[in-house]
Amino acid sequence: VQLQASGGGLAQAGDSLRLSCSASGDTFNELALGWFRQAPGKEREFVAVISGSGSTTFYGDSVKGRFTASRDNAKNTIYLQMNSLKPEDTAVYYCAANQHIAYFSDYGAKLIGSWGQGTQVTVSS
C-alpha cells in the first residue's frame, strides 16, 4: 500500500490542525492505519492507530484526550484531528499501515513496512 500524508503546517499553542493520509490499494479496509511522529534529535514516537473497521483506536500517552484518529473507508483516507496543540507536538508526522494493530507502538514500529512521506507540524508558543 502507498500512503500520502498531508495537512501539516504552522500553528500556535492551543490551535487545531487536521492531518490526512490517503492510501492506494484494495486492502484498505483490512489494514490498521496510524500515525507516528519524530522530532529533531528524538526517537520516533507512536501517536495513534485506528483499526480497519474504525471501531478501535489507541493513542500515545502524550496525545490522549487531545488527538482523535478517524477513517473514511469509502475514501481510503484516515485523519488525525489534533486539538489543543502544544509546542512539544512539533515534529514530522508519518502515517503508517499494517495488518497488525499491535505493531503500532514505540517498539513495534520497526515491523511496519508501509510508511507515508511525512508532513511537518510546527507549533509555536
Side-chain angles (χ1 to χ4, degrees):
V1 62
Q2 291 187 322
L3 304 170
Q4 180 76 31
S6 62
L10 300 175
Q12 292 189 326
D15 284 353
S16 298
L17 283 175
R18 189 176 80 157
L19 305 183
S20 300
C21 177
S22 60
S24 62
D26 57 5
T27 60
F28 183 81
N29 292 9
E30 301 173 12
L31 298 173
L33 280 99
W35 299 91
F36 291 79
R37 67 187 183 186
Q38 189 164 20
K42 294 189 176 181
E43 297 291 320
R44 181 171 48 193
E45 177 187 14
F46 166 68
V47 175
V49 62
I50 185 166
S51 63
S53 67
S55 61
T56 302
T57 54
F58 295 107
Y59 298 93
D61 289 342
S62 61
V63 306
K64 282 179 183 176
R66 300 188 298 121
F67 290 12
T68 302
S70 61
R71 64 191 293 159
D72 185 340
N73 285 350
K75 296 182 178 179
N76 276 23
T77 301
I78 65 166
Y79 305 97
L80 184 68
Q81 179 66 42
M82 305 186 295
N83 297 332
S84 302
L85 283 164
K86 304 176 181 180
E88 51 263 44
D89 294 320
T90 296
V92 177
Y93 284 71
Y94 299 91
C95 58
N98 197 276
Q99 288 184 317
H100 303 292
I101 198 170
Y103 290 177
F104 288 82
S105 69
D106 292 348
Y107 302 102
K110 63 176 72 71
L111 301 174
I112 295 176
S114 297
W115 294 89
Q117 85 287 3
T119 184
Q120 177 71 46
V121 172
T122 303
V123 184
S124 62
S125 58

